[in-house]
Amino acid sequence: MVTPVKHAYERIPYLVAYQNDSKVRDVYGGVAELVVLESYLLKPNTDSDIGAAGSATSDTVLVFMHPIGGGAYLPMINALARAGHHVIYCNSRFRGTDSALLMEKVVQDLGAAIKDAKDRLGYAKVVLAGWSGGGSLSMFYQQQAQHPTVTASPSGDGPDLTTLGLIPADGIMLLAAHISRHGTLTEWLDASILDESDPTRRDPELDLYNPDNPNQPPYSAEFLTRYRQAQIDRNRRITAWVKGKLAELRAAGRPDDEFGFVVHGTMADPRWLDPAVDPNDRTPGTCYLGDPAVVNMSPVGLARFCSLRSWLSQWSYDDANGDGVECGRDIAVPALVIGNLADDACTPSHTRRLFEAIGHPEKEMYEIAGANHYYSGPDQRETLGRAVAIVTDWLVRHDFAKVEA
């Protein structure tokens, strides 16, 4: 396996801007006529290499985008640049808030970032680097770039992806990725909530955080089956209400109106309390946002603040398009999948489902013992180094990099 040398690198901030075709602004502030994407190019500096080997020039760039962004300074991003790779981290227009997010618009943003990387920055090859929630986004993008079929978001709004001329990537990497935003949310939904307008109305036998619940870890197979179905049922009840609300607005002659709402209880996954559910080396009783019992009802919970159209595009179990597993069978480029075995956000079943779904025969999967979701903490330098070495080796073998040992 190739062991990359360390490079100094420069972080170059820049903007990708293009014409906004939304009827309204998607986010607060900015110029209404433009979509503006905050971007960073991490470019190894040839003149200040540490060590004697490895060219810092490249015709390939690794492109990261997460639906709500914020990862430009993650350990993995920086480590890949230090290993000699050119890296773009581009935030979508929904940086930091997903209450109005449409996955189809994020695909449009990713397409603009890739077009800019090729046309303006001059990169010949692009490898999609889908980290965490960027994994299913990357799969959705690549599917639609290869064979565009989605003409609108699930609510019937734009954009029409078949008209955008999306440029397919040359390879795809899924790094600590989950299967989809809607699939992940459904697995995290608090199945005990019976009334969306009054989250205190709960089924006590499904309330994971009720000490009087007779169902306690380790959970029985029967309980888990019942719980998982109740999570899907709850997602579908919210979706039915959303569609009904949209129909009301249209019937009232207000088809462009939106309606904001709150989804309570979105961090009640049995796997956080029972380490035998989707087992790995994570610490029981925790999740990547902290204590899951607290996160379950806290403002930072997944999908806490929603709009009608965003729910259908981003969170609806049956309607959302950005499904990594569904998109995977259409992937027609080499793929690398890396899972972290102490991950308390994206657990092994997600890694393996994504890998198994990829239709292209040239695919590889690796799992890194001891690695957490962010490679954060003083004990994670070795796991991060292993991940970067795997990525580098794969890139070199597929002629995406020329980093030498």
Side-chain angles (χ1 to χ4, degrees):
M1 182 173 290
V2 172
T3 302
V5 298
K6 292 183 178 180
H7 297 259
Y9 64 91
E10 55 182 330
R11 183 184 299 269
I12 305 168
Y14 66 99
L15 299 176
V16 175
Y18 66 96
Q19 185 68 43
N20 180 25
D21 54 13
S22 298
K23 294 180 181 178
V24 297
R25 297 189 188 189
D26 293 302
V27 292
Y28 181 79
V31 180
E33 294 78 18
L34 294 176
V35 174
V36 180
L37 311 176
E38 180 188 68
S39 307
Y40 301 87
L41 171 63
L42 280 64
K43 188 173 183 181
N45 189 334
T46 307
D47 296 330
S48 55
D49 289 348
I50 303 172
S55 170
T57 60
S58 177
D59 65 353
T60 300
V61 66
L62 315 182
V63 176
F64 285 80
M65 181 178 283
H66 185 281
I68 60 170
Y73 292 88
L74 286 171
M76 172 61 81
I77 310 298
N78 299 333
L80 287 169
R82 284 196 299 270
H85 305 297
H86 291 224
V87 180
I88 288 173
Y89 194 102
C90 182
N91 288 308
S92 82
R93 74 184 78 180
F94 301 102
R95 165 75 169 93
T97 180
D98 58 11
S99 57
L101 185 150
L102 298 185
M103 287 297 293
E104 292 73 20
K105 289 185 177 180
V106 181
V107 167
Q108 184 179 22
D109 291 349
L110 182 52
I114 290 173
K115 186 176 188 298
D116 182 74
K118 284 179 168 280
D119 293 352
R120 186 178 66 84
L121 298 179
Y123 289 102
K125 301 175 186 176
V126 167
V127 175
L128 283 170
W131 178 82
S132 192
S136 54
L137 165 62
S138 296
M139 297 279 266
F140 184 25
Y141 174 88
Q142 184 66 12
Q143 179 204 49
Q144 291 301 302
Q146 293 172 174
H147 304 293
T149 58
V150 174
T151 57
S153 67
S155 60
D157 301 273
D160 181 346
L161 301 185
T162 68
T163 67
L164 298 183
L166 300 172
I167 302 171
D170 301 282
I172 188 168
M173 304 189 299
L174 306 178
L175 312 171
H178 59 63
I179 55 169
S180 64
R181 289 176 79 72
H182 57 278
T184 298
L185 171 69
T186 304
E187 291 183 3
W188 293 0
L189 276 177
D190 190 333
S192 72
I193 293 178
L194 302 174
D195 184 346
E196 297 301 323
S197 65
D198 181 6
T200 64
R201 289 193 59 226
R202 297 171 180 259
D203 182 336
E205 292 190 0
L206 293 178
D207 190 348
L208 300 186
Y209 304 121
N210 182 352
D212 296 326
N213 184 346
N215 300 292
Q216 296 291 332
Y219 297 117
S220 68
E222 293 77 14
F223 172 75
L224 289 172
T225 298
R226 178 188 172 194
Y227 192 89
R228 292 303 190 198
Q229 186 58 53
Q231 290 177 306
I232 295 171
D233 292 344
R234 185 181 171 208
N235 185 297
R236 286 173 170 160
R237 288 196 303 271
I238 297 171
T239 296
W241 175 85
V242 165
K243 290 180 176 180
K245 193 71 177 176
L246 279 170
E248 286 178 16
L249 292 171
R250 288 164 180 155
R254 295 156 53 193
D256 296 326
D257 276 17
E258 255 295 356
F259 189 88
F261 62 99
V262 175
V263 179
H264 297 282
T266 60
M267 190 54 83
D269 190 333
R271 57 165 59 92
W272 306 140
L273 304 182
D274 185 352
V277 179
D278 201 359
N280 66 0
D281 300 327
R282 66 186 182 272
T283 302
T286 65
C287 69
Y288 79 113
L289 291 174
D291 181 344
V294 175
V295 177
N296 193 44
M297 300 296 288
S298 78
V300 299
L302 211 64
R304 185 66 76 245
F305 306 101
C306 293
S307 56
L308 303 173
R309 292 167 175 81
S310 180
W311 173 270
L312 294 179
S313 175
Q314 189 177 188
W315 305 121
S316 172
Y317 185 79
D318 297 307
D319 298 278
N321 289 313
D323 190 304
V325 172
E326 290 298 316
C327 297
R329 60 187 173 209
D330 297 326
I331 299 303
V333 294
L336 171 67
V337 180
I338 295 179
N340 294 343
L341 288 181
D343 200 322
D344 53 6
C346 301
T347 44
S349 66
H350 284 245
T351 303
R352 294 162 193 172
R353 278 184 277 175
L354 286 169
F355 176 75
E356 290 165 3
I358 294 170
H360 195 270
E362 200 169 342
K363 60 181 182 179
E364 300 176 23
M365 186 184 84
Y366 300 86
E367 294 179 313
I368 301 176
N372 62 34
H373 189 58
Y374 294 103
Y375 302 98
S376 59
D379 61 337
Q380 290 292 303
R381 289 186 179 182
E382 182 180 350
T383 61
L384 177 60
R386 288 203 298 272
V388 172
I390 290 169
V391 169
T392 299
D393 183 67
W394 183 83
L395 291 170
V396 169
R397 285 188 286 108
H398 289 84
D399 197 29
F400 295 132
K402 296 181 175 63
V403 179
E404 300 177 359

